[in-house]
């Protein structure tokens, strides 16, 4: 997709009001209860500066929202800011010169010194220039468990994947769905990635995702993963929901035992008034391989011809990384702040597990920083086909997965 460097007016949606204050339209895909609560912290902070946040939420998740944002930008009607994940999603927009260079903001605010891990800023950096403001660390590597569901089934809450598998029949006898999984393909691919790290090991996962090594996909570690993924598919039967947060709701209500999902799920538990360690439990790396992936979100800013808007975009970028906004947003979002110099003493027991992994350096990159969006989409499509086709065997999907990795970029 060749993108033109047409200078974008931006007049349509972002306006300079009196005294240099600006209305900035900010596009994102945060529409679940917990997400909306968290993004409202960003809007409140920006509005408190005398500027105005024009909310551009898009329902349906990132896979739905990103193409809409890109078409607005290359169509000459860009928002003032938009959310993407850390990684390679904005590569083409940056290469086409369509995004604002924030290097001056980063230098003026010491982002290189304060942003941790540094890989978050690296993911925003192309040819030495910085094009995004990272706002959080989200890890996919989690399983969330309903203490009420396991109590109802009369079995202890699992502390690892094998105990989850062993206790699943008891949950089914009690009319509870052992594994909550939404219907969107990114959820099924994400969960597979978590199982690959936890059951196949970080080395095999890295060979596949970073080195694009198809032989490892056909090797013993991943064979174990595909068999476990096939078994997990059977344990999700009985709960038909689309959105990830609907699956989280089933765990919150105790009609499902567990969900493999990123720690954005914590925003839903918090909004429901659920207490970590009491109402729900959490297993980093499925309780098998304690690891945190450093994915998450960042804001990018399309270039425009209005100096006030550009000044406003840079002011917003700095504000998103500021200590107060980092604490307010991340506590509501369920993610970790991107700076270590903020007060994290009041976090819950699950977030503390994440912080401990980060402190101990037990981190891996997020797949979105290693695989191109195109490869990610192919894997989404393959795994959702498998998830929805009971007759498809783990061996069949394994071979097709290897074929995709063999030609991955
Ligand atoms: C991720 C994003 C998270 C989360 C999730 C579900 O891509 O990084 O912030 O909200 O989507 O929408």
């Amino acid at each position: 997709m060749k993108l033109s460097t047409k200078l974008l007016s931006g007049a349509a949606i972002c306006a300079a009001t009196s005294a240099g204050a600006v209305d900035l339209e900010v596009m994102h895909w945060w529409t679940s209860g917990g997400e909306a609560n968290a993004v409202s912290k960003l809007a409140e902070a920006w509005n408190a500066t005398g500027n105005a946040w024009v909310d551009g939420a898009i329902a349906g998740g990132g896979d739905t929202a990103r193409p809409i944002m890109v078409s607005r930008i290359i169509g000459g009607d860009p928002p003032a800011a938009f959310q993407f994940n850390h990684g390679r999603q904005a590569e083409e927009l940056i290469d086409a010169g369509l995004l604002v260079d924030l290097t001056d903001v980063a230098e003026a605010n010491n982002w290189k010194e304060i942003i941790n891990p540094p890989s978050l800023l690296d993911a925003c950096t192309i040819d030495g220039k910085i094009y995004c403001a990272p706002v959080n660390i989200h890890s996919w590597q989690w399983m969330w468990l309903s203490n009420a569901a396991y109590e109802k089934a009369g079995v202890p809450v699992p502390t690892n994947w094998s105990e989850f598998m062993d206790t699943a029949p008891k949950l089914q006898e009690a009319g509870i769905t052992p594994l909550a999984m939404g219907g969107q393909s990114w959820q099924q691919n994400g969960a597979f990635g978590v199982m690959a790290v936890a059951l196949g090991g970080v080395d095999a996962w890295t060979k596949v995702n970073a080195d694009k090594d198809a032989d490892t996909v056909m090797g013993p570690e991943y064979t174990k993963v595909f068999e476990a993924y096939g078994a997990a598919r059977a344990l999700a039967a009985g709960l038909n929901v689309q959105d990830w947060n609907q699956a989280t709701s089933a765990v919150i209500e105790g009609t499902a035992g567990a969900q493999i999902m990123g720690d954005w799920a914590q925003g839903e538990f918090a909004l429901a008034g659920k207490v970590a360690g009491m109402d729900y439990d959490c297993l980093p790396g499925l309780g098998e391989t304690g690891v945190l992936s450093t994915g998450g979100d960042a804001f990018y800013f399309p270039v425009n011809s209005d100096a006030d808007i550009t000044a406003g975009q840079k002011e917003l970028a700095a504000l998103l990384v500021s200590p107060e906004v980092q604490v307010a947003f991340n506590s509501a979002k369920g993610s970790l702040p991107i700076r270590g110099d903020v007060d994290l003493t009041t976090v819950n027991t699950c977030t503390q597990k994440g912080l401990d992994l980060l402190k101990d350096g037990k981190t891996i990159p997020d797949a979105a920083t290693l695989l191109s969006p195109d490869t990610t989409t192919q894997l989404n499509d393959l795994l959702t086909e498998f998830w929805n086709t009971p007759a498809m065997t783990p061996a069949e999907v394994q071979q097709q997965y290897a074929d995709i990795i063999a030609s991955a970029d």
Side-chain angles (χ1 to χ4, degrees), residues 29-30 35 83 85 136 138 186 244 264 296-297 333:
W29 62 84
W30 290 326
E35 291 171 331
Q83 168 214 3
N85 296 122
N136 61 11
H138 262 313
W186 67 270
W244 68 272
W264 43 88
D297 307 286
K333 188 75 171 65

Short mmCIF file of all heavy atoms in Angstrom, two decimals, residues 29-30 35 83 85 136 138 186 244 264 296-297 333, ligand 1:
data_model
loop_
_atom_site.label_atom_id
_atom_site.label_comp_id
_atom_site.label_asym_id
_atom_site.label_seq_id
_atom_site.Cartn_x
_atom_site.Cartn_y
_atom_site.Cartn_z
N TRP A 29 -9.59 2.45 20.27
CA TRP A 29 -10.59 1.39 20.26
C TRP A 29 -10.97 0.95 21.67
O TRP A 29 -11.36 -0.17 21.92
CB TRP A 29 -10.15 0.21 19.42
CG TRP A 29 -8.90 -0.52 19.84
CD1 TRP A 29 -8.80 -1.52 20.78
CD2 TRP A 29 -7.59 -0.37 19.31
NE1 TRP A 29 -7.50 -1.97 20.86
CE2 TRP A 29 -6.73 -1.28 19.97
CE3 TRP A 29 -7.04 0.47 18.33
CZ2 TRP A 29 -5.37 -1.38 19.68
CZ3 TRP A 29 -5.69 0.38 18.04
CH2 TRP A 29 -4.87 -0.55 18.71
N TRP A 30 -10.88 1.84 22.62
CA TRP A 30 -11.19 1.54 24.01
C TRP A 30 -12.67 1.80 24.32
O TRP A 30 -13.05 2.89 24.70
CB TRP A 30 -10.29 2.37 24.93
CG TRP A 30 -8.87 1.92 24.91
CD1 TRP A 30 -8.44 0.65 24.76
CD2 TRP A 30 -7.70 2.72 25.01
NE1 TRP A 30 -7.08 0.60 24.80
CE2 TRP A 30 -6.59 1.87 24.95
CE3 TRP A 30 -7.48 4.09 25.15
CZ2 TRP A 30 -5.28 2.31 25.02
CZ3 TRP A 30 -6.16 4.54 25.24
CH2 TRP A 30 -5.08 3.65 25.18
N GLU A 35 -12.09 0.01 29.73
CA GLU A 35 -11.30 0.83 28.79
C GLU A 35 -11.84 2.26 28.75
O GLU A 35 -11.07 3.23 28.78
CB GLU A 35 -11.34 0.21 27.40
CG GLU A 35 -10.61 -1.10 27.26
CD GLU A 35 -10.86 -1.76 25.91
OE1 GLU A 35 -11.96 -1.55 25.33
OE2 GLU A 35 -9.98 -2.47 25.42
N GLN A 83 -4.53 5.92 18.69
CA GLN A 83 -3.91 4.81 19.42
C GLN A 83 -3.53 3.69 18.45
O GLN A 83 -4.31 3.33 17.58
CB GLN A 83 -4.90 4.24 20.43
CG GLN A 83 -4.50 2.91 21.06
CD GLN A 83 -5.70 2.00 21.36
OE1 GLN A 83 -6.85 2.35 21.05
NE2 GLN A 83 -5.46 0.86 21.95
N ASN A 85 -0.86 -0.14 18.76
CA ASN A 85 -0.04 -0.90 19.69
C ASN A 85 1.43 -0.59 19.47
O ASN A 85 1.83 -0.15 18.39
CB ASN A 85 -0.25 -2.40 19.47
CG ASN A 85 -1.66 -2.85 19.77
OD1 ASN A 85 -2.33 -3.41 18.92
ND2 ASN A 85 -2.12 -2.60 20.98
N ASN A 136 1.48 2.83 28.08
CA ASN A 136 1.35 1.76 29.05
C ASN A 136 2.13 0.53 28.62
O ASN A 136 2.61 0.44 27.49
CB ASN A 136 -0.12 1.37 29.23
CG ASN A 136 -0.75 0.87 27.93
OD1 ASN A 136 -0.05 0.62 26.95
ND2 ASN A 136 -2.06 0.72 27.95
N HIS A 138 1.23 -3.38 28.44
CA HIS A 138 0.22 -4.42 28.58
C HIS A 138 0.86 -5.76 28.26
O HIS A 138 1.57 -5.88 27.27
CB HIS A 138 -0.94 -4.19 27.61
CG HIS A 138 -2.12 -3.51 28.21
ND1 HIS A 138 -2.67 -3.88 29.42
CD2 HIS A 138 -2.88 -2.49 27.75
CE1 HIS A 138 -3.71 -3.11 29.69
NE2 HIS A 138 -3.86 -2.25 28.70
N TRP A 186 -8.41 -12.20 16.86
CA TRP A 186 -7.21 -11.75 17.57
C TRP A 186 -7.13 -12.35 18.97
O TRP A 186 -6.05 -12.57 19.51
CB TRP A 186 -7.15 -10.21 17.63
CG TRP A 186 -8.22 -9.57 18.47
CD1 TRP A 186 -9.45 -9.16 18.04
CD2 TRP A 186 -8.14 -9.25 19.88
NE1 TRP A 186 -10.17 -8.63 19.10
CE2 TRP A 186 -9.39 -8.67 20.23
CE3 TRP A 186 -7.17 -9.43 20.86
CZ2 TRP A 186 -9.68 -8.25 21.54
CZ3 TRP A 186 -7.45 -9.02 22.16
CH2 TRP A 186 -8.69 -8.44 22.49
N TRP A 244 -13.96 -9.47 23.79
CA TRP A 244 -13.13 -10.03 24.86
C TRP A 244 -13.72 -9.73 26.23
O TRP A 244 -13.69 -10.56 27.14
CB TRP A 244 -11.71 -9.47 24.77
CG TRP A 244 -11.62 -8.01 25.07
CD1 TRP A 244 -11.77 -6.98 24.18
CD2 TRP A 244 -11.41 -7.41 26.35
NE1 TRP A 244 -11.67 -5.77 24.83
CE2 TRP A 244 -11.44 -6.00 26.16
CE3 TRP A 244 -11.21 -7.91 27.64
CZ2 TRP A 244 -11.27 -5.09 27.21
CZ3 TRP A 244 -11.03 -7.02 28.68
CH2 TRP A 244 -11.05 -5.63 28.47
N TRP A 264 -5.42 -6.00 30.22
CA TRP A 264 -6.48 -5.02 30.10
C TRP A 264 -7.76 -5.56 30.74
O TRP A 264 -8.66 -4.81 31.07
CB TRP A 264 -6.72 -4.60 28.66
CG TRP A 264 -6.73 -5.72 27.67
CD1 TRP A 264 -7.79 -6.49 27.29
CD2 TRP A 264 -5.62 -6.19 26.90
NE1 TRP A 264 -7.41 -7.43 26.36
CE2 TRP A 264 -6.09 -7.27 26.12
CE3 TRP A 264 -4.28 -5.84 26.82
CZ2 TRP A 264 -5.24 -7.97 25.24
CZ3 TRP A 264 -3.44 -6.52 25.95
CH2 TRP A 264 -3.92 -7.57 25.17
N GLY A 296 1.45 -3.22 24.46
CA GLY A 296 0.67 -2.12 24.99
C GLY A 296 0.35 -1.10 23.92
O GLY A 296 0.32 -1.42 22.73
N ASP A 297 0.16 0.12 24.35
CA ASP A 297 -0.38 1.16 23.49
C ASP A 297 0.50 2.40 23.44
O ASP A 297 1.19 2.71 24.42
CB ASP A 297 -1.77 1.55 23.98
CG ASP A 297 -2.67 0.32 24.12
OD1 ASP A 297 -3.09 -0.20 23.09
OD2 ASP A 297 -2.89 -0.12 25.27
N LYS A 333 -6.66 1.21 33.85
CA LYS A 333 -6.57 0.37 32.63
C LYS A 333 -6.12 -1.06 32.91
O LYS A 333 -6.34 -1.95 32.11
CB LYS A 333 -5.58 1.04 31.64
CG LYS A 333 -5.51 0.40 30.28
CD LYS A 333 -6.72 0.74 29.43
CE LYS A 333 -6.57 0.30 28.00
NZ LYS A 333 -6.48 -1.14 27.85
C1 LIG B 1 -5.09 -4.16 22.82
C2 LIG B 1 -4.72 -2.89 23.53
C3 LIG B 1 -5.27 -2.86 24.90
C4 LIG B 1 -6.66 -3.41 25.04
C5 LIG B 1 -7.00 -4.50 24.06
C6 LIG B 1 -8.47 -4.83 23.94
O1 LIG B 1 -4.62 -4.13 21.52
O2 LIG B 1 -3.31 -2.79 23.60
O3 LIG B 1 -5.13 -1.57 25.42
O4 LIG B 1 -7.54 -2.48 25.31
O5 LIG B 1 -6.50 -4.27 22.79
O6 LIG B 1 -9.18 -3.87 23.31
#
